[in-house]
Amino acid sequence: MKTPGFIRRLKDAITDYNRDFSERIFLILTIISECVVLIALIADIILGEHIGEILVLTGTVIFVPVITVLGLYKDRIKDSAKITVTLLVLLVMPLLFFFGGGLEGGSFIWFIFSFMYVGLVLTGRWRNVFLVMIILLSFVCFITAYYNPQLVIDHSRSMRFIDTYLSVILVGIVCFFMAMSQNSIFQFENKRAKKETERAEELTRSQNRFFSSMSHEIRTPINSILGLNELILRDPEVSNEVLKDASGIQGAGKLLLALINDILDFSKMEAGSMDIVPVDYNIGDMLSEIVNMIWLKATDKGLKFNVSIAPDVPAVLYGDEVRIKQVVINILNNAVKYTKEGSVELSVECESIDQDHVMLSFSVSDTGMGIKKEALPDLFNAFKRVDEEKNRNIEGTGLGLSIVKQLVDLMDGTVSVNSVYGEGSTFVVTLKQGVTDSSPIGDLNIHNQQVLKRDRYESSFRAPDGRILIVDDNEMNLEVERKLLTDTQLKIDTALDGKEALDMTLKYSYDVILMDHLMPEMDGIECLEIIREQTGGLNRNTPVVVLTANAGSENRELYNRAGFDGYLVKPVSGINLENALMNHIRKDKLIISRNVTRMSRDINTTESYV
């Protein structure tokens, strides 16, 4: 064994931050202690101490390094520490006490060293056991010396003073260097932890940028694909075969978008970069949007969709509207997906916690296939689909309920399920929400505002006297959005960047401006700020709706703060564009199409509570 190799191995073990802290401390303390014991041995030989004390110190100087070296080379340092402590407590300390003059020498001071040594190099139960052993052993040594003084080797007065002084100095040196070494390790670990934290924060920022970019980059081309495909579906002159193919593309495109959204959301959660962004939201508007989204899916499958909403739910709550909507829609989609016949029901209730908070409860019940009892524990696991063989033809990633569970956890809520296999399931989500407006929602009037199916496409409205501006740096998206609104007879201007948009707002007064967010040189938020303060501008009070590929609560909150009057997420359909414009164009300019009708009946949301 070459000494340089051993020294290198020893140094590497001490500086290895992945190694257990107590192991590193044991190695450092052993080196320091061996140096001090060697000094004590030399002093004892010079001073003519008792041969017994000299032999004990000699054995310590020889055997402790051997035990340490074996532990280091066999990578069993913890075992070496236990053996060393056992020898120290049960053999070395008692022998030094009696050979070193007991209370008439300096050996009793080394008991203090043994307390520190055990506390630093051992962990867990071993440390507690040896603490008790040292206390008992020191008690036994002191009592024995008191009642049997003949067992203690006598020291002369001068030897007693010299021995005690040397013991104080040597134990003090050990304590000093041990504290200094421990402090150095802590400082090093703190610096390392700080660097790791900074790296983790930078990684999180990079991941956030990546997920935001991925969402934007994927949604942008899908917007063009689905938009152009919608134009094909609208064309009355295309053949039935082309219509059939276009319908397939439309369905596949929407499924692809749903899969991408699930994967991006799941990835953000796994990376710990999913944020909950609470805002004030109107519970009625949110529920209307959810119901209108699910109604057609349920109707297409021949399912009844029942909605019951407690009339005492506060009108305006404070929470993450986007994520709550995502949770409820995900569960409702699952209910429709796994129900062949019967009904799906959404129930909403609330329970007051205090003046400023309520516990909001969403219950989704279905008459579907249900879930086997043994499958319930795996229900919220990612990529896990229960009853795989029976459900193999049902589309989906298996991420939906996992995302639901993680989002509910992030909002400090709970989600539970009760199911009878073959009869149906009930999911219950409870969330604590702030109360902004405690006025009860009452009998919420929810009705479908979807355009009824028709043989020939007709826009929801016409506005030949209206004029809008669409700003988007993607030329294909501009063309798609313009063509989707052609039948509205609006005058439509387009701009490829913020500078061009500002030039247009000086020339024309618009009814609505649709503004992309991420654009080169000047983004949509900067452009909006300039429009609002534009000297000589004709659109300082014009409604500006952000039309963006950046989805998510944090972005919606960003756009609210920026002052946008509306929010549309790409890919956007023609009906979504038309609905957004209908909300902002003056009513006297709108000619509403007769084909835009309500449902045959409104939903009585308080029927269950009368």
Side-chain angles (χ1 to χ4, degrees):
M1 180 178 65
K2 296 181 179 179
T3 303
F6 166 72
I7 293 174
R8 192 182 308 112
R9 184 185 287 256
L10 181 63
K11 182 180 178 182
D12 290 343
I14 291 173
T15 56
D16 182 7
Y17 59 82
N18 291 317
R19 186 177 289 276
D20 191 273
F21 180 75
S22 62
E23 293 184 8
R24 298 165 66 191
I25 288 293
F26 167 72
L27 295 173
I28 295 172
L29 189 51
T30 298
I31 294 170
I32 297 170
S33 301
E34 280 300 297
C35 294
V36 169
V37 171
L38 183 60
I39 294 171
L41 175 60
I42 295 170
D44 280 359
I45 294 172
I46 294 173
L47 295 172
E49 270 282 9
H50 189 273
I51 187 63
E53 183 174 342
I54 292 174
L55 290 175
V56 171
L57 292 177
T58 301
T60 303
V61 169
I62 294 172
F63 288 108
V64 170
V66 171
I67 295 168
T68 304
V69 170
L70 288 174
L72 184 61
Y73 273 90
K74 292 182 179 294
D75 199 23
R76 300 186 64 177
I77 296 176
K78 286 185 180 293
D79 292 336
S80 293
K82 293 172 185 175
I83 295 170
T84 302
V85 168
T86 302
L87 291 175
L88 173 70
V89 173
L90 298 182
L91 187 63
V92 175
M93 293 310 303
L95 290 177
L96 282 180
F97 180 81
F98 289 103
F99 286 132
L103 293 177
E104 300 297 322
S107 58
F108 71 90
I109 297 174
W110 287 90
F111 275 108
I112 298 172
F113 164 77
S114 65
F115 277 105
M116 182 189 70
Y117 192 81
V118 168
L120 288 173
V121 304
L122 295 184
T123 57
R125 186 174 59 183
W126 277 85
R127 181 164 54 194
N128 297 332
V129 169
F130 272 97
L131 172 63
V132 174
M133 287 179 65
I134 295 173
I135 293 172
L136 292 176
L137 185 66
S138 60
F139 177 77
V140 170
C141 288
F142 275 60
I143 289 295
T144 301
Y146 181 79
Y147 287 105
N148 299 281
Q150 69 277 9
L151 297 177
V152 180
I153 303 299
D154 286 331
H155 272 54
S156 64
R157 186 171 182 273
S158 60
M159 180 65 74
R160 184 168 69 244
F161 273 87
I162 294 172
D163 190 32
T164 303
Y165 174 74
L166 280 175
S167 296
V168 169
I169 294 300
L170 294 177
V171 171
I173 288 173
V174 172
C175 293
F176 174 82
F177 281 104
M178 194 58 248
M180 186 176 71
S181 301
Q182 191 176 28
N183 189 50
S184 297
I185 291 176
F186 283 147
Q187 287 181 346
F188 174 79
E189 291 295 330
N190 284 336
K191 288 180 181 178
R192 190 177 68 84
K194 188 176 180 180
K195 287 181 180 178
E196 289 297 320
T197 301
E198 290 173 352
R199 283 182 58 194
E201 289 174 351
E202 178 56 35
L203 178 61
T204 299
R205 286 192 291 270
S206 298
Q207 288 172 329
N208 282 334
R209 288 192 295 268
F210 169 77
F211 292 130
S212 177
S213 175
M214 282 294 291
S215 176
H216 182 271
E217 295 303 318
I218 291 171
R219 284 173 176 275
T220 297
I222 290 181
N223 185 62
S224 297
I225 293 169
L226 293 181
L228 290 170
N229 194 71
E230 184 177 337
L231 294 173
I232 296 173
L233 289 170
R234 289 182 184 183
D235 191 343
E237 297 182 5
V238 299
S239 66
N240 289 334
E241 186 177 352
V242 171
L243 277 178
K244 182 180 178 181
D245 292 341
S247 296
I249 293 172
Q250 197 80 352
K254 289 181 178 179
L255 177 60
L256 174 62
L257 182 63
L259 296 178
I260 289 168
N261 287 340
D262 279 351
I263 292 169
L264 287 175
D265 281 345
F266 180 75
S267 300
K268 288 183 75 172
M269 290 176 191
E270 288 294 291
S273 57
M274 176 69 78
D275 294 322
I276 296 301
V277 184
V279 295
D280 291 331
Y281 67 95
N282 187 296
I283 185 73
D285 291 345
M286 184 187 78
L287 292 172
S288 294
E289 189 174 339
I290 291 172
V291 170
N292 284 321
M293 193 177 298
I294 301 299
W295 182 276
L296 285 179
K297 292 183 180 181
T299 304
D300 286 345
K301 287 192 70 174
L303 303 175
K304 285 185 177 181
F305 184 31
N306 303 317
V307 181
S308 57
I309 302 171
D312 61 345
V313 174
V316 182
L317 298 176
Y318 181 74
D320 192 329
E321 178 189 7
V322 173
R323 296 305 173 191
I324 295 172
K325 196 187 305 178
Q326 184 177 358
V327 166
V328 177
I329 288 173
N330 226 327
I331 296 176
L332 283 168
N333 273 332
N334 252 29
V336 172
K337 189 189 301 183
Y338 290 98
T339 303
K340 291 183 178 179
E341 58 183 19
S343 64
V344 172
E345 181 174 351
L346 169 65
S347 297
V348 183
E349 298 178 333
C350 79
E351 181 181 342
S352 179
I353 299 176
D354 53 46
Q355 189 175 354
D356 298 320
H357 297 89
V358 294
M359 191 63 73
L360 191 63
S361 173
F362 298 91
S363 176
V364 176
S365 301
D366 63 64
T367 58
M369 60 184 66
I371 305 163
K372 292 179 180 178
K373 187 176 180 180
E374 60 269 22
L376 288 174
D378 294 323
L379 191 62
F380 296 104
N381 290 346
F383 308 108
K384 181 75 174 179
R385 299 187 72 179
V386 299
D387 215 352
E388 187 85 40
E389 187 173 341
K390 191 173 181 181
N391 300 327
R392 65 184 180 275
N393 295 322
I394 295 178
E395 297 171 334
T397 58
L399 291 176
L401 289 180
S402 172
I403 291 171
V404 165
K405 179 68 167 67
Q406 293 188 66
L407 284 175
V408 170
D409 288 344
L410 282 172
M411 292 185 282
D412 295 325
T414 61
V415 56
S416 60
V417 59
N418 182 32
S419 183
V420 178
Y421 190 62
E423 295 183 17
S425 307
T426 298
F427 286 81
V428 179
V429 173
T430 57
L431 298 167
K432 184 179 179 181
Q433 299 287 282
V435 177
T436 302
D437 182 354
S438 59
S439 303
I441 195 172
D443 186 4
L444 181 63
N445 185 28
I446 297 179
H447 42 252
N448 194 344
Q449 296 177 346
Q450 300 289 341
V451 177
L452 294 179
K453 291 183 179 179
R454 53 213 171 201
D455 294 330
R456 182 183 178 89
Y457 175 81
E458 184 178 349
S459 62
S460 306
F461 70 91
R462 289 178 294 116
D465 295 330
R467 190 178 201 123
I468 68 168
L469 172 66
I470 306 176
V471 188
D472 197 317
D473 65 317
N474 186 294
E475 200 164 349
M476 178 64 73
N477 277 340
L478 273 183
E479 185 66 12
V480 168
E481 289 148 11
R482 186 186 63 78
K483 285 184 176 180
L484 286 173
L485 294 171
T486 299
D487 289 351
T488 63
Q489 298 180 9
L490 284 163
K491 297 180 182 69
I492 302 172
D493 293 329
T494 60
L496 278 167
D497 55 43
K499 184 178 182 301
E500 187 178 350
L502 293 176
D503 291 339
M504 301 292 288
T505 55
L506 288 172
K507 295 178 182 178
Y508 304 105
S509 175
Y510 293 106
D511 292 283
V512 182
I513 298 173
L514 299 177
M515 179 79 70
D516 188 22
H517 175 201
L518 298 180
M519 297 184 291
E521 296 182 16
M522 181 190 299
D523 67 24
I525 294 176
E526 292 174 302
C527 188
L528 172 65
E529 291 173 351
I530 296 174
I531 289 173
R532 294 293 186 231
E533 304 294 332
Q534 193 175 33
T535 303
L538 304 175
N539 298 273
R540 297 177 69 170
N541 297 310
T542 298
V544 180
V545 176
V546 64
L547 180 56
T548 178
N550 291 330
S553 308
E554 63 279 5
N555 289 308
R556 185 161 191 171
E557 175 63 12
L558 171 66
Y559 300 137
N560 285 339
R561 290 198 308 268
F564 284 101
D565 299 281
Y567 173 81
L568 283 173
V569 179
K570 298 175 185 176
V572 64
S573 65
I575 190 65
N576 288 337
L577 282 171
E578 290 172 10
N579 285 340
L581 293 174
M582 285 174 70
N583 288 334
H584 296 291
I585 295 176
R586 283 192 355 235
K587 302 304 178 187
D588 60 317
K589 289 188 177 184
L590 293 174
I591 304 171
I592 305 298
S593 170
R594 285 179 298 176
N595 282 338
V596 180
T597 60
R598 304 293 189 189
M599 282 183 184
S600 58
R601 66 180 181 86
D602 286 346
I603 301 171
N604 185 357
T605 63
T606 60
E607 188 174 4
S608 303
Y609 299 91
V610 176

